[in-house]
Amino acid sequence: AGPIFSIGEIGGSWLMGNRRMPGAAGFGLWHQGGPLDYGDASDSSSEASAAGGYLIAQQRLIDFRYPFDNSGISAFVQMGWSPSRSNIYSTSVGGGLTVFAPMKSRPLDSYGIGLSWAQINDQGALGVMANPDELMVQVYGQIHLVSNLYLTPSVTVLPVPGVRGAQAPSTSALLQLVALF
């Protein structure tokens, strides 16, 4: 038998205010069996296992056309932590906003923006190759085409890249065709 990944999560949900706007939160712990290698070819190391924890929460903030549809704005936050030497990141914090059905004529579209900061693990060879932290911003759209098909463009910018040798901020764009089932 090989390494096993285990995760446990506890959470709950609620409805807020007169409009009964949904929210939810969860806390989890995880464990990855090993051995897990880290470092590069000249300085390879390993640890017997890795572990960590996380917190996630989301809340509907605004309803556009209550009670007629699901349109509105939701916010989310997430945090993660791991003391393990083999993880690239030791701490991360992120959050963002999602707008659902901003136009009444397009009830299945959504758009969002997210921001994430991560502290790079400075143990072993990982710390030699990386800046102390990384900052990422992403915007996306999920545009309903027909039936269960969506066009999902996104742009991701790393104004503070985690790779130490980066000469400038990183920008990437992605266009996906998504089929939900």
Side-chain angles (χ1 to χ4, degrees):
I4 296 176
F5 179 76
S6 304
I7 190 167
E9 182 176 297
I10 187 167
S13 61
W14 57 84
L15 298 173
M16 185 177 80
N18 293 339
R19 291 187 170 192
R20 304 180 55 77
M21 293 184 285
F27 170 75
L29 296 173
W30 59 269
H31 180 268
Q32 170 69 53
L36 303 167
D37 295 328
Y38 64 96
D40 59 22
S42 65
D43 179 27
S44 183
S45 301
S46 68
E47 64 183 333
S49 63
Y54 62 90
L55 173 68
I56 53 175
Q58 64 92 17
Q59 177 65 53
R60 175 64 63 104
L61 302 176
I62 297 171
D63 284 324
F64 295 146
R65 295 177 290 277
Y66 175 83
F68 303 108
D69 62 21
N70 250 350
S71 62
I73 299 175
S74 290
F76 74 91
V77 295
Q78 60 85 22
M79 295 177 265
W81 171 80
S82 174
S84 301
R85 296 183 310 267
S86 57
N87 290 337
I88 295 173
Y89 305 108
S90 57
T91 306
S92 67
V93 178
L97 297 171
T98 303
V99 180
F100 297 96
M103 297 169 281
K104 189 175 183 179
S105 63
R106 309 259 331 145
L108 298 177
D109 290 358
S110 65
Y111 305 90
I113 184 167
L115 175 73
S116 175
W117 169 84
Q119 183 177 29
I120 306 294
N121 189 341
D122 63 359
Q123 301 180 51
L126 293 174
V128 175
M129 301 180 305
N131 288 323
D133 52 19
E134 180 174 87
L135 181 64
M136 179 175 65
V137 179
Q138 185 178 68
V139 294
Y140 86 95
Q142 184 167 314
I143 303 160
H144 181 243
L145 298 175
V146 295
S147 184
N148 64 338
L149 293 177
Y150 293 82
L151 190 63
T152 307
S154 63
V155 176
T156 304
V157 177
L158 278 71
V160 180
V163 176
R164 181 164 287 154
Q167 300 297 313
S170 169
T171 302
S172 62
L174 178 67
L175 181 61
Q176 295 176 306
L177 179 63
V178 177
L180 299 177
F181 54 91

